[in-house]
C-alpha cells in the first residue's frame, strides 16, 4: 500500500487532476481524483489492459466517448418509495438510457479481437429504446409536456385553447360597447387564473360581475364580468383536469423507470468505469504517452522519459535503469541540475503504471512494487517541534522499518541537515541496510564518501546529472557509471560570485577533495568529447545507410526496366512474325481457291499473279531483313573495346561498351539512358555485314492481251493504334471498296489492348448495310485480335 503522503510527495495528485479534465461525467472526474495504485500485480495488469483497449477504441476505431448525462441526487430514493418523478428527473433517465444504448452499440460494433474486457463490460449495459423514446417524445423540456403525450391531454388542451379564444372574444366585444366609459383601460388581464377587466373605482357598481382584486391606489378594480363567469369556471375546470392528466402521465413514466431502476444503477457504474478508462486513454494520447510493460522482478528501465508536469517545450527526456545490474542508483551532481526531478520521475511512473496510466516515454519497463517510500524536500514540522533533520530522520527510520525486497525507495539528500561527517556516516549505514533488505531505488547526495562506497559495492551504481564541463551549465541528463561533482564554487562564480572570494574558497578545500573533484572534471570532459565523437560517427553511419538504400532502390528500378524492355521486345517480335505468317497463309489460301476453280478467266489469272507477287515481296522483305540484320559473335577479351557495339542477351537489344574492368572481368554497357554492369558472357560483339544489291523484280505479264488490268482491292485493314472515333470512318471506307471490288470476305485487324476498339467495331458492324455476318478470328487468323467479315 502506498501512502497518501508519498503520492503527494511525488505530485501524483497533480497528474490525476490533469487526467480528470478528460472525463465526460462529473462523477467520473471525482473518481479519477480518488484513484489509487493497485496493490496486486494482476489488478495492475488488468487496469492497464482496460486503458489499452480504450485507446484502441478511441484512436484506432474512432469510437466516441461516453455521452454526457446528469448526476443523480435523490431520484433512486424516490423511485424506491414509488414517488412520482419530475419532468427534469425523467429527462435525466432518458439521457442515461441514450448514453447506455449509444455506448453499447458503438463498442460492440467494433470488429477487433484485441478488445475483450471492454466488450464484456458493455454487455452488462441495459438498453430500452422504447422507454427512452417514450420519455423524450412526451416530455419536451424540464417544464413542458407534449400535447400528444396522451389522447386525453390533447383533448383537454384543445378545449382550453377554444375557451381562451371564446373568453377573449366576449371580453373584447364587451370592451367596445357602452361599457368602455367605465374602464380604466381597454385591456384584458388575468387575476388568479381568471380573465378580468380594469374598471374605474367610481364605476365598479356599473359592471355586473365578481371583483377579484384592486390596485394599490384603489382607483382600479379588476372585475370578472358575468358574461364570462361560466366560461372562466369551465376554463378553471379544464386546467385542473390538465394538471391531473400530467400528474398521471408522469406517474406512469415514473413507474416504468422504477421497474428497471436496478439495471439503470448498474448502467451508471459501467458508464462511469468506461468514462474513467476513456479519460486515461485520452490523457495518454494528448501527452504522447505509451503503455508501459509491467514486471514483478524489480526491474525499471525508462527510455526518453519526460516528466508529465513539465511543459513539453522545456522538458528534457531521461534514460534511467535500475534493478537488473544494480539495485540502487546513487545520483550526484550540482544543485538545480535535475536530481530531484529524476528521482520523482521514477516514483511517478511506477505509480502511474499501477493505476493503468500510460507514461510519457518512448519505452518503459516498470516493476510492480508492493510499497513505495519517499523522502523528498523540507519536512520540517512546526507543530511537532521537529527540525528539518529530525523530520527527515523520522521519515527515514519509518522507511527502514517497513522496507522489504519489493519496495521502491526514493530519498533526496540522504543524511543532510547535520554535521557532514556524521551525516555521511549515517547515510552510508542506512544505505547498507536498505541494500541488505533487497530494496530498490534512487538516492541523491553530495557526500563524497557515498560516491566512493558506490565504487566498492556492486549493488549500487554511481550516476550524475550531466553538466557542460566548460560552462558548468546543467543539461538535465543522467550519466550512469561516474559520480558527479557539486561544482558549488564554479556555479557560484557563474552566478556572479567575486573571483577572489571563489579562489579563497578553493584554497580552503582539502587537497584530497580538490584532487577528487579535478579527476571527476577531467573524466567528464573526456566523456563529453568521446560522446561528441560517437555522435559524429553515428551521423556518418546513418548517412551511409541512406545512400546505400538509395543505390539499392535505383538498382532494383533498373532491373525492372530491363525486364520490361526485354518483355516488350519479345512481344513485338512475336507480333511481327504472326502478322507475316498470317499474310502468307491468307495469300496462299486465295491462290489455292483460284486454281481450284473449274473455270478460270483473265481476272482470275491477274488476281493469282498479283497474289504471287505479294507473296514474293513478303519473302523478299523477310530475306532482306535477314540480310540486313546485324550478326553477333561471342565476346572475347581481345574483342572487347570501349565504344564497341554489343548485343545484350538479357534485354534483347543493342548497347555500347562504356568501360571494362579487367580485374573483375566486368563491362559497363550503356543501353539507352541505362548503364548496366555485365559479364563478358552476357553480351555478343556486333559484326556489320556488307549490303548486297537487291535483285531486280520481274513484273509478271499477262498472256491474255485482251483482258483489261484489274485494280487490286485490299482484303484487310489494320486499325492498330487508332481510337474508336478515328477507326469507324476507316472501316466504312474499307467495306465500301471491298463491296465494289466484289470481295466476299475481309478482315479487320484491331488487336486486343483495352478492348474498347474491338467493342466499338463490333457494335458498328451490327447495323452496317454491307455486312452479312461477322466472327472473331480463329487460331492462325489472329484470334480475338481480328474480326472476319462476310459481305452481302
Amino acid at each position: 500500500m502506498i501512502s497518501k503522503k508519498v503520492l503527494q510527495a511525488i505530485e501524483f495528485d497533480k497528474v490525476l487532476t490533469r487526467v480528470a479534465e478528460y472525463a465526460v461525467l462529473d462523477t467520473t472526474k471525482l473518481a479519477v481524483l480518488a484513484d489509487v495504485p493497485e496493490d496486486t500485480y494482476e489488478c495492475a495488469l488488468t487496469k492497464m489492459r482496460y486503458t489499452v483497449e480504450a485507446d484502441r477504441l478511441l484512436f484506432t476505431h474512432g469510437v466516441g466517448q461516453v455521452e454526457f448525462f446528469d448526476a443523480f441526487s435523490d431520484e433512486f430514493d424516490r423511485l424506491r418509495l414509488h414517488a412520482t418523478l419530475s419532468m427534469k428527473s425523467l429527462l435525466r433517465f432518458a439521457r442515461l438510457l441514450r448514453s447506455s444504448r449509444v455506448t453499447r452499440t458503438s463498442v460492440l460494433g467494433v470488429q477487433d479481437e484485441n478488445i475483450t474486457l471492454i466488450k464484456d463490460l458493455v454487455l452488462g449495459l441495459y438498453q430500452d429504446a422504447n422507454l427512452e423514446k417514450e420519455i423524450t417524445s412526451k416530455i419536451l423540456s424540464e417544464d413542458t409536456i407534449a400535447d400528444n403525450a396522451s389522447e386525453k391531454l390533447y383533448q383537454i388542451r384543445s378545449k382550453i385553447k377554444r375557451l381562451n379564444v371564446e373568453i377573449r372574444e366576449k371580453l373584447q366585444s364587451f370592451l367596445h360597447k357602452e361599457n368602455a366609459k367605465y374602464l380604466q383601460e381597454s385591456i384584458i388581464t388575468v387575476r388568479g387564473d381568471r380573465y378580468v377587466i380594469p374598471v374605474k373605482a367610481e364605476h365598479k357598481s356599473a359592471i355586473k360581475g365578481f371583483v377579484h382584486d384592486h390596485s394599490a391606489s384603489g382607483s382600479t378594480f379588476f372585475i370578472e364580468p358575468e358574461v364570462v363567469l361560466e366560461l372562466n369556471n369551465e376554463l378553471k375546470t379544464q386546467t385542473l383536469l390538465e394538471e391531473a392528466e400530467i400528474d398521471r402521465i408522469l406517474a406512469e413514466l415514473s413507474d416504468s423507470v422504477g421497474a428497471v431502476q436496478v439495471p439503470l444503477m448498474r448502467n451508471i457504474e459501467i458508464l462511469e468505469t468506461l468514462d474513467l478508462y476513456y479519460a486515461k486513454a485520452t490523457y495518454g494520447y494528448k501527452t504522447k504517452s505509451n503503455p508501459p510493460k509491467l514486471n514483478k522482478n524489480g526491474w525499471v528501465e525508462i527510455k526518453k522519459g519526460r516528466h508529465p508536469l513539465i511543459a513539453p517545450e522545456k522538458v528534457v527526456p531521461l534514460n534511467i535503469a535500475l534493478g537488473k545490474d544494480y539495485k540502487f542508483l546513487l545520483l550526484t551532481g550540482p544543485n538545480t541540475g535535475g536530481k530531484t526531478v529524476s528521482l520523482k520521475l521514477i516514483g511517478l511512473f511506477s505509480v502511474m503504471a499501477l493505476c493503468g496510466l500510460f507514461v510519457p516515454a518512448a519505452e518503459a519497463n516498470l516493476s510492480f512494487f508492493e510499497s513505495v517510500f519517499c523522502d523528498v524536500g523540507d519536512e520540517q514540522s512546526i507543530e511537532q517541534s521537529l527540525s528539518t533533520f529530525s523530520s527527515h530522520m523520522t521519515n527515514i527510520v519509518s522507511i527502514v522499518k517497513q522496507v522489504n525486497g519489493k519496495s521502491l525507495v526514493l530519498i533526496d539528500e540522504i543524511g543532510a541537515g547535520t554535521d557532514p561527517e556524521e551525516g555521511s556516516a549515517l547515510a552510508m549505514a542506512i544505505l547498507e541496510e536498505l541494500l541488505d533488505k533487497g530494496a530498490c531505488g534512487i538516492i541523491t547526495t553530495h557526500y563524497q564518501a557515498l560516491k566512493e562506497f558506490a565504487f566498492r559495492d556492486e549493488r549500487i551504481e554511481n550516476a550524475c546529472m550531466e553538466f557542460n564541463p566548460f560552462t558548468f551549465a546543467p543539461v538535465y541528463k543522467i550519466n550512469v557509471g561516474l559520480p558527479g561533482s557539486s561544482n558549488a564554487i564554479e556555479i557560484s562564480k557563474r552566478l556572479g560570485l567575486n573571483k577572489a572570494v571563489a579562489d579563497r574558497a578553493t584554497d580552503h578545500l582539502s587537497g584530497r577533495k580538490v584532487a577528487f573533484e579535478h579527476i571527476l572534471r577531467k573524466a567528464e570532459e573526456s566523456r563529453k568529447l568521446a560522446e561528441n565523437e560517437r555522435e559524429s560517427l553515428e551521423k556518418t553511419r546513418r548517412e551511409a545507410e541512406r545512400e546505400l538504400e538509395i543505390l539499392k532502390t535505383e538498382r532494383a528500378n533498373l532491373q525492372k526496366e530491363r525486364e520490361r524492355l526485354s518483355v516488350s521486345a519479345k512481344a513485338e517480335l512475336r507480333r511481327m512474325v504472326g502478322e507475316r505468317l498470317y499474310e502468307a497463309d491468307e495469300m496462299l489460301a486465295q491462290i489455292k481457291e483460284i486454281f481450284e476453280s473449274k473455270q478460270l478467266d483473265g481476272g482470275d489469272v491477274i488476281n493469282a499473279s498479283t497474289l504471287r507477287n505479294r507473296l514474293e515481296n513478303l519473302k523478299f522483305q523477310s530475306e532482306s531483313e535477314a540480310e540486313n540484320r546485324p550478326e553477333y559473335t561471342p565476346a572475347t577479351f581481345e574483342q572487347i573495346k570501349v565504344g564497341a557495339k554489343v548485343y545484350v542477351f538479357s534485354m534483347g537489344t543493342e548497347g555500347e561498351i562504356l568501360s571494362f574492368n579487367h580485374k573483375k572481368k566486368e563491362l559497363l554497357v550503356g543501353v539507352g539512358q541505362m548503364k548496366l554492369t555485365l559479364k563478358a558472357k552476357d553480351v555478343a560483339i556486333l559484326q556489320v555485314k556488307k549490303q548486297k544489291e537487291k535483285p531486280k523484280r520481274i513484273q509478271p505479264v499477262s498472256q491474255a492481251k485482251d483482258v483489261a488490268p484489274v485494280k487490286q482491292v485490299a482484303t484487310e485493314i489494320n486499325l492498330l493504334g487508332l481510337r474508336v472515333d478515328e477507326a469507324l470512318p476507316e472501316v466504312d471506307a474499307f467495306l465500301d471498296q471491298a463491296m465494289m471490288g466484289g470481295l466476299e470476305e475481309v478482315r479487320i485487324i484491331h488487336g486486343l489492348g483495352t478492348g474498347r476498339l474491338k467493342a466499338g467495331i463490333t457494335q458498328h458492324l451490327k447495323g452496317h448495310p454491307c455486312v452479312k455476318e461477322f466472327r472473331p478470328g480463329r487460331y492462325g487468323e489472329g484470334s480475338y485480335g481480328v474480326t472476319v467479315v462476310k459481305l452481302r
Side-chain angles (χ1 to χ4, degrees), residues 520-582:
L520 289 180
R521 191 176 305 161
K522 288 296 182 182
E524 179 62 18
E525 290 177 2
S526 299
R527 189 201 65 79
K528 193 65 179 178
L529 291 174
E531 179 70 16
N532 292 338
E533 185 67 22
R534 188 193 66 79
E535 290 179 357
S536 177
L537 291 174
E538 180 66 19
K539 182 179 179 181
T540 303
R541 184 188 64 80
R542 288 195 298 267
E543 290 176 354
E545 288 179 349
R546 282 196 297 270
E547 290 293 332
L548 181 60
E549 288 298 320
I550 293 172
L551 290 175
K552 287 181 179 179
T553 302
E554 290 181 352
R555 181 178 180 182
N557 291 337
L558 289 173
Q559 181 65 23
K560 290 179 181 178
E561 182 66 16
R562 183 172 67 178
E563 293 173 356
R564 187 188 67 79
L565 290 175
S566 177
V567 170
S568 177
K570 290 177 181 177
E572 180 64 17
L573 181 61
R574 284 196 299 270
R575 187 191 66 78
M576 293 174 62
V577 170
E579 285 184 359
R580 296 291 173 85
L581 288 173
Y582 176 81

Side-chain angles (χ1 to χ4, degrees), residues 433-446:
E433 180 67 14
L434 295 175
L435 289 169
D436 291 341
K437 288 192 172 185
C440 184
I442 296 182
I443 289 178
T444 69
T445 186
H446 289 284

Side-chain angles (χ1 to χ4, degrees), residues 350-399:
S350 298
V351 170
M352 288 173 70
L354 299 185
C355 286
L357 284 167
F358 294 177
V359 296
E363 291 181 33
N365 189 349
L366 305 171
S367 175
F368 168 77
F369 291 107
E370 290 182 353
S371 54
V372 177
F373 300 100
C374 184
D375 183 80
V376 180
D378 188 356
E379 296 288 341
Q380 184 171 354
S381 173
I382 298 175
E383 292 82 0
Q384 299 178 15
S385 300
L386 297 176
S387 66
T388 299
F389 178 75
S390 298
S391 178
H392 171 65
M393 286 311 302
T394 300
N395 201 10
I396 296 297
V397 169
S398 176
I399 292 173

Side-chain angles (χ1 to χ4, degrees), residues 584-608:
D585 290 344
E586 183 73 13
M587 285 185 283
L588 288 173
Q590 291 182 30
I591 293 173
K592 183 178 179 182
E593 184 179 348
I594 291 173
F595 284 99
E596 286 180 352
S597 177
K598 294 181 179 180
Q599 294 182 351
L600 294 175
D601 56 15
D604 292 333
V605 173
I606 292 173
N607 286 341

